[in-house]
Amino acid sequence: MKAKIIFILAVPILFFAGFISGLHHGSENKEEGKILGLNHVGLRVADFDKALDFYQNDLGFQMIYQFDNAEGYPIFAYVQISKSTFIELLPANEEHPEGIDHFGLETHNNQAVVSNFHSLGIECTKSTVSPFTHVNIAHAIDPNGIYFEIIEATEGSDLKRVMDNWKD
């Protein structure tokens, strides 16, 4: 089981490592967009409560936030692995089956990264503020059709708060 989890988490990292590291390597201009690294992997799970229990109690990761809909059903939850690495748990359904849903890249200056993606021909939405966590977020599709997010943990966002409060 542990090997399967490590493999599942490693696939997006290995797939994009070369591509992502070359996008803005050596950028010194603070206004220029920059990809800082892998921030999270989104997992669709059949049993949300069981998955949350596993990541919290068996692996010892802290849940930093959970958002539920008006009926009290979970939309998603984040568990923190390290200062800036998370697992996002999302309920699986008919439209979104169990498994890896997406991964998220953390950026500096999301708007500039979106602009750069567009110039490279990468399908990407405009960066907007998340109504849940208040990060700047954009949604992208890589050349192979793989969905990913680019996020900027801005001042005042929940993500910035939990990363700043991380204690080793």
Side-chain angles (χ1 to χ4, degrees), residues 69-108:
N69 65 19
E71 292 79 35
Y73 294 107
I75 299 170
F76 69 91
Y78 260 48
V79 292
Q80 190 169 19
I81 298 171
S82 70
K83 179 177 181 162
S84 60
T85 310
F86 305 86
I87 294 174
E88 180 180 5
L89 298 173
L90 305 112
N93 56 40
E94 287 182 22
E95 187 178 333
H96 301 284
E98 190 173 6
I100 295 176
D101 184 73
H102 69 279
F103 63 94
L105 299 174
E106 184 183 351
T107 70
H108 167 75

Side-chain angles (χ1 to χ4, degrees), residues 2-166:
K2 284 184 182 179
K4 183 178 178 183
I5 290 171
I6 291 169
F7 175 75
I8 288 171
L9 295 176
V11 169
I13 297 167
L14 295 174
F15 183 80
F16 279 93
F19 172 73
I20 296 306
S21 65
L23 281 178
H24 299 286
H25 184 70
S27 173
E28 299 299 324
N29 183 348
K30 292 193 184 289
E31 296 306 312
E32 201 171 309
K34 182 176 182 180
I35 295 171
L36 303 175
L38 180 70
N39 177 266
H40 69 274
V41 175
L43 304 177
R44 291 279 177 181
V45 295
D47 186 330
F48 188 86
D49 292 332
K50 184 177 178 181
L52 193 54
D53 180 65
F54 170 75
Y55 286 102
Q56 285 185 281
N57 297 317
D58 295 339
L59 296 185
F61 301 141
Q62 181 182 359
M63 183 190 55
I64 57 166
Y65 43 74
Q66 177 176 334
F67 294 95
D68 299 331
N69 65 19
E71 292 79 35
Y73 294 107
I75 299 170
F76 69 91
Y78 260 48
V79 292
Q80 190 169 19
I81 298 171
S82 70
K83 179 177 181 162
S84 60
T85 310
F86 305 86
I87 294 174
E88 180 180 5
L89 298 173
L90 305 112
N93 56 40
E94 287 182 22
E95 187 178 333
H96 301 284
E98 190 173 6
I100 295 176
D101 184 73
H102 69 279
F103 63 94
L105 299 174
E106 184 183 351
T107 70
H108 167 75
N109 194 341
N110 227 35
Q111 297 286 40
V113 172
V114 166
S115 178
N116 189 42
F117 277 13
H118 286 150
S119 71
L120 294 170
I122 298 171
E123 188 178 330
C124 189
T125 66
K126 182 176 132 179
S127 186
T128 60
V129 176
S130 165
F132 299 106
T133 62
H134 311 291
V135 297
N136 287 339
I137 185 168
H139 307 274
I141 304 291
D142 85 347
N144 290 297
I146 297 171
Y147 164 68
F148 65 102
E149 298 172 346
I150 56 172
I151 60 171
E152 181 179 11
T154 55
E155 283 301 323
S157 69
D158 292 340
L159 192 58
K160 174 101 168 101
R161 177 185 47 78
V162 298
M163 290 189 326
D164 287 349
N165 289 330
W166 173 262

